[in-house]
């Protein structure tokens, strides 16, 4: 079983919020902490998540804008990525926006139509990160 963790949401609407601290970035990828062979080995990714973790008690929200894990069709890469962000995402909101490496594939309705997603077509991303959707009304 997982260890217990404490999650701190932002203040509810209508309540004085004071300052809100947001970390925003894109193109994170992942890096193995134990030198395991992975499709994506982005050392800067681990440095980024380590830096966010050091500031997690003073951060209210992470906004990850596209190119999330660089899994490109390899489910195990998503698992590695989720393990890397869990010390942060289990404590504060981690919101995302889909990028080309999660969505693009020819004839799939993507805007560009490249093979960047490895055939995922946004499915793996959407199942792991259900985000609020804009809507009318």
């Amino acid at each position: 079983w997982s260890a217990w963790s404490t999650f701190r949401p932002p203040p509810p609407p209508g309540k004085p919020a004071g300052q809100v601290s947001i970390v925003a970035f894109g193109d994170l990828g992942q890096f193995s902490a134990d030198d395991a062979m992975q499709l994506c080995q982005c050392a800067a990714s681990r440095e980024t998540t380590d830096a966010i973790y050091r500031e997690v008690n003073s951060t209210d929200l992470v906004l990850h804008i596209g190119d999330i894990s660089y899994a490109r069709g390899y489910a195990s890469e998503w698992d590695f990525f989720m393990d890397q962000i869990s010390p942060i995402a289990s404590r504060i909101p981690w919101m995302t926006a889909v990028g080309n490496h999660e969505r693009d594939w020819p004839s799939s309705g993507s805007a560009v139509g490249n093979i960047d997603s490895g055939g995922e077509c946004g499915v793996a991303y959407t199942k792991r990160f259900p985000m609020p959707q804009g809507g009318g009304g």
Side-chain angles (χ1 to χ4, degrees), residues 12-43:
K15 201 168 191 184
Q19 284 188 319
V20 176
S21 176
I22 297 174
V23 174
F25 57 88
D27 299 286
L28 185 62
Q30 60 194 281
F31 184 76
S32 171
D34 63 1
D35 294 324
M37 293 297 293
Q38 291 179 243
L39 179 66
C40 175
Q41 275 290 67
C42 308

Side-chain angles (χ1 to χ4, degrees), residues 46-67:
R46 177 61 64 176
E47 293 165 9
T48 300
T49 53
D50 288 350
I52 297 168
Y53 183 75
R54 286 191 298 271
E55 301 295 325
V56 74
N57 289 328
S58 60
T59 302
D60 298 302
L61 169 71
V62 171
L63 182 58
H64 187 165
I65 308 163
D67 297 344

Side-chain angles (χ1 to χ4, degrees), residues 58-121:
S58 60
T59 302
D60 298 302
L61 169 71
V62 171
L63 182 58
H64 187 165
I65 308 163
D67 297 344
I68 308 299
S69 72
Y70 288 96
R72 290 174 249 157
Y74 294 89
S76 62
E77 299 294 310
W78 277 108
D79 293 340
F80 290 132
F81 175 78
M82 298 304 280
D83 286 345
Q84 182 173 325
I85 69 165
S86 68
I88 303 160
S90 65
R91 296 177 63 189
I92 58 174
W94 186 291
M95 297 189 73
T96 61
V98 69
N100 61 301
H101 287 284
E102 291 79 51
R103 179 69 183 89
D104 283 353
W105 192 255
S107 303
S108 70
S110 65
V112 179
N114 289 332
I115 61 169
D116 295 342
S117 78
E120 289 183 355
C121 303

